[in-house]
Amino acid sequence: MANNEQNIPLDTATFIRIRKWYLLALAAIALTVIIAQVLIQLHLKAQSGDSELINIAGRQRAFSQKLTKETLLLKELNNPEDKKMVLSEIEKTLAVWKVSHVGLHLGDASFNLPYEDDPKVQALFKKLDPHHSAMVSAVEHVLATHKQDISASVQQNDIDALLNNERSFLNLMDQIVNEYDARSNEQLQKLKQKEYWLLAFSLLILLLEIFVIFRPLSIQIKNTIGHLIGKDEESKGQLEKIQNLYDEKERSLKELQELNFVIDNAALFASIRKDGSIVFISKKFLDLLGLETTPVNKPISEILTTEEGQQSYLKEVLKINRKNVIRTEELQVVNAKDTNLWLDMSIVPMHQSSLEQDILILCSDITERKENQLKVQQLTKQNFEERMQQKKLQASQIVEGQEEERKRIAKDIHDGIGQMLTALKFNIESIDIEDQAKTGEKIAYLKGLTSDLIKGVRTATFNLTPPELSDHGIFPAIHKMTTELSKLTGKTVLFKNKTDANIRFDSLAETNIYRVTQEAVNNAIKYAEANYILVTLNYSYPILSVVIDDDGKGFDDSILGKLPKNSSEGGMGLFFMKERIDYINGRLFINSELGKGTRVTINYKTEENKIANGTE
């Protein structure tokens, strides 16, 4: 065993020892990192539902206020159709409110809510239950009464029950949300303590590795280098002797290297005299030139090519007498079979000590390489032309889409606002002050028409760029858009921001992301006939993600890979969405299934110099 260790070279033995110590050090660091990650992930998994729990608890407050407001609104309505719409909204809100209340109290797997076992929270829910039950009973009584008779009025005792219990419900829900938040903060502090302990442990391991592993290794390497330097001094004498021998052979080696380089890169060669006549030519060279026998005393220029201009050029090249210089030329020739060839020719002077020099011609057939270069150039040109044609087509489609958008805005103003203004004018002109009864009816009608007109104007102007986008950024702008669309359309358009701070991005990126989001929400409202739309924003450096989910009728997503020929075929909105996102180097994903809704995902990779923190 000892003999085997002595036979191992010094560099190998040193490398083996260093490798063992480094593997041990890396293994210790890796083990520390793995343990830290396991502990942190276990803790994070336990806290994964806290944000959803607080969100649902906070939403309960909004739902309680919504139920009260909608019940009061129902009392003021007389139109049966309006009552049915409000009753439907009350019924949906009540269902979610009841399920969320039970889930917060007893747990619900569908909402990812665990069973609540905190005594403080249980006590608060015990106080909350009577108020919740009273409000639920009042709303259910209102729904049952109107299901029997849509024209029935809301009873005052139901309204009193809602108003009397709403304040207590909100106060108790505030306390519950505060308990959730305090509990989450307490667990976060525990996680921080664990991280500090793990950091201290990791630093301790690094210190131990420095004193136990790296310091001894550095000493060993220093000693090894010193030993090698000593050996280097001993070898300098031998190197001087070798250098003397090398200098003696350097001139002949240089000549051989030049000649070998050319011969190694050429399979075709010939020897000629100073006047250009052939002494010898290889069989492979003859085959390439289309000749069967070696022409005797014939100039090489006439053998290499049949084209007179090329022959004259070759004669001039061979006449140039340069000692100790190897000349290289790329020539196009025409052989005896009228085939165009490209040759990489090297002209090597021989017998340089004599005035009568011979010349060695060494060639390589580069015809295939030249032809491939020409093909590559042609393909590059063709590819460029195709890209330019595609850009022209896309530009024409974008212009066509802009014209369609202008026509749509003009049609909305003409058919909507214009018609209502005309109706407003005629009704005002037809008012007869003497007939007070009809005048009152017409004034009431004019009020409703004016409200519709204001709504139409707001809808038309809202489609233009909102001031929030340039003043405050993408987060407030999309929030405002969802709020306005929810009011204008009566659809449930929700906004969820998973990012704490309001971050500003490049203005071009913000504009295009806003427009694509607006197009996706409008498509869900107009074409998908969705009742519930959720817009979710999340920013985790360097990716900004916008997700639009709806519960509409969906569509066949096979059309996504097809380019529409014109706007009448449909699909231009999706095309322009992709174009906008491609313009800012983003990614757009659209997933849809008939009858199961649609999800649109926008991912934009930000740059550090194009981000600035701000507040809304």
Side-chain angles (χ1 to χ4, degrees), residues 485-603:
L485 286 176
S486 182
K487 293 178 181 178
L488 293 173
T489 63
K491 306 289 186 180
T492 303
V493 185
L494 301 178
F495 174 77
K496 185 175 183 180
N497 184 6
K498 294 186 177 180
T499 304
D500 296 334
N502 179 31
I503 303 173
R504 296 303 304 269
F505 304 95
D506 178 69
S507 60
L508 182 63
E510 289 188 335
T511 301
N512 282 281
I513 292 172
Y514 177 84
R515 286 303 183 192
V516 173
T517 305
Q518 185 182 42
E519 181 70 18
V521 175
N522 285 332
N523 286 342
I525 295 173
K526 293 180 181 179
Y527 305 117
E529 299 177 3
N531 293 313
Y532 179 88
I533 303 168
L534 175 62
V535 181
T536 305
L537 267 73
N538 188 22
Y539 177 69
S540 179
Y541 181 81
I543 300 298
L544 171 64
S545 177
V546 184
V547 181
I548 304 97
D549 291 304
D550 69 70
D551 62 348
K553 60 185 181 181
F555 63 92
D556 183 5
D557 56 9
S558 61
I559 67 172
L560 297 175
K562 301 177 181 178
L563 184 64
K565 296 181 180 178
N566 52 60
S567 59
S568 62
E569 295 183 356
M572 291 300 293
L574 299 178
F575 169 75
F576 290 125
M577 289 166 66
K578 292 180 180 178
E579 285 295 307
R580 282 185 179 276
I581 295 303
D582 289 342
Y583 186 63
I584 60 174
N585 296 322
R587 301 288 299 277
L588 178 69
F589 304 95
I590 302 175
N591 299 306
S592 184
E593 188 174 349
L594 290 174
K596 295 187 178 179
T598 302
R599 164 169 284 194
V600 179
T601 303
I602 304 166
N603 287 338

Side-chain angles (χ1 to χ4, degrees), residues 273 275-280 294-300 302-303:
R273 299 182 182 91
D275 60 2
S277 60
I278 293 178
V279 178
F280 174 80
T294 303
V296 180
N297 296 327
K298 192 172 183 180
I300 187 68
E302 297 180 5
I303 296 174

Side-chain angles (χ1 to χ4, degrees), residues 262 326-329 344-348 360-364:
V262 178
I326 298 175
R327 181 169 180 175
T328 303
E329 296 278 346
D344 186 2
M345 179 183 294
S346 297
I347 304 171
V348 184
L360 182 64
I361 303 294
L362 302 172
C363 296
S364 295

Side-chain angles (χ1 to χ4, degrees), residues 34-80:
I34 291 172
I35 293 174
Q37 283 298 313
V38 169
L39 292 176
I40 292 172
Q41 290 300 325
L42 289 175
H43 189 86
L44 291 176
K45 183 178 180 182
Q47 301 303 315
S48 61
D50 283 354
S51 61
E52 194 69 26
L53 188 68
I54 295 173
N55 185 28
I56 293 175
R59 191 180 64 184
Q60 287 295 93
R61 302 175 70 259
F63 279 169
S64 66
Q65 295 174 325
K66 184 179 180 184
L67 284 172
T68 304
K69 292 178 181 179
E70 288 174 344
T71 304
L72 292 173
L73 176 62
L74 182 64
K75 181 180 179 182
E76 301 297 328
L77 295 176
N78 295 320
N79 189 344

Side-chain angles (χ1 to χ4, degrees), residues 121-188:
V121 178
Q122 287 284 7
L124 290 173
F125 269 111
K126 190 174 181 181
K127 294 179 181 180
L128 182 69
D129 283 339
H131 301 289
H132 179 266
S133 300
M135 294 179 72
V136 169
S137 299
V139 175
E140 288 178 343
H141 183 263
V142 171
L143 292 173
T145 302
H146 284 80
K147 282 184 179 180
Q148 295 176 358
D149 183 7
I150 191 64
S151 62
S153 60
V154 180
Q155 296 182 10
Q156 186 62 37
N157 56 349
D158 292 332
I159 294 176
D160 292 339
L162 288 173
L163 295 175
N164 292 335
N165 288 279
E166 181 187 11
R167 185 179 300 276
S168 299
F169 180 85
L170 292 175
N171 290 333
L172 290 170
M173 280 307 301
D174 280 340
Q175 296 180 32
I176 291 173
V177 171
N178 291 335
E179 285 295 329
Y180 287 153
D181 186 57
R183 184 170 62 188
S184 178
N185 289 332
E186 180 181 355
Q187 293 172 347
L188 180 62

